[in-house]
Amino acid sequence: MKPKVRMYIDARNEKLNYDNAKQVCYFIKGANKDEVKKKIYESIGFNVLKIEVVPANEKVIITYYEHLITPTYIDYRFHLRGLDYKRDGG
């Protein structure tokens, strides 16, 4: 049997390129609750660059690349999870 080996990747100094990234803003009821944050992450977390939650006004700012995901698809994923949301500007 081969011994198990662990590999650690240090990405603390990694620079991300946000030049082509776009942002969309959502107002999601209960965005400051942990179960809602979990639903948001589980629905789109792997396809976006950054998810920022502003708990004071239940605002969620999502940074994404357009070739990976679109706001319409984000709407669809939120609808599947049963989130009560409104997209800013549309």
Side-chain angles (χ1 to χ4, degrees):
M1 285 188 92
K2 290 185 176 181
K4 293 183 179 180
V5 178
R6 289 188 182 193
M7 176 188 269
Y8 296 95
I9 299 172
D10 184 8
R12 289 178 285 187
N13 296 323
E14 188 75 25
K15 303 290 185 224
L16 294 176
N17 183 4
Y18 292 122
D19 291 342
N20 301 351
K22 298 188 178 218
Q23 284 189 337
V24 65
C25 179
Y26 285 89
F27 295 99
I28 301 175
K29 292 194 188 243
N32 53 348
K33 297 178 184 173
D34 288 338
E35 60 270 4
V36 175
K37 288 179 188 176
K38 184 178 177 184
K39 283 183 181 181
I40 293 169
Y41 181 76
E42 287 176 348
S43 57
I44 61 166
F46 294 112
N47 299 99
V48 299
L49 293 172
K50 187 168 36 170
I51 301 171
E52 299 175 59
V53 178
V54 182
N57 53 3
E58 299 180 332
K59 186 177 189 180
V60 178
I61 302 169
I62 300 168
T63 306
Y64 66 97
Y65 284 129
E66 201 169 30
H67 66 275
L68 292 177
I69 195 167
T70 62
T72 305
Y73 189 68
I74 294 171
D75 293 348
Y76 170 71
R77 297 293 299 185
F78 284 168
H79 180 71
L80 286 179
R81 290 284 179 175
L83 291 169
D84 187 18
Y85 67 91
K86 181 180 178 213
R87 185 175 5 148
D88 190 24

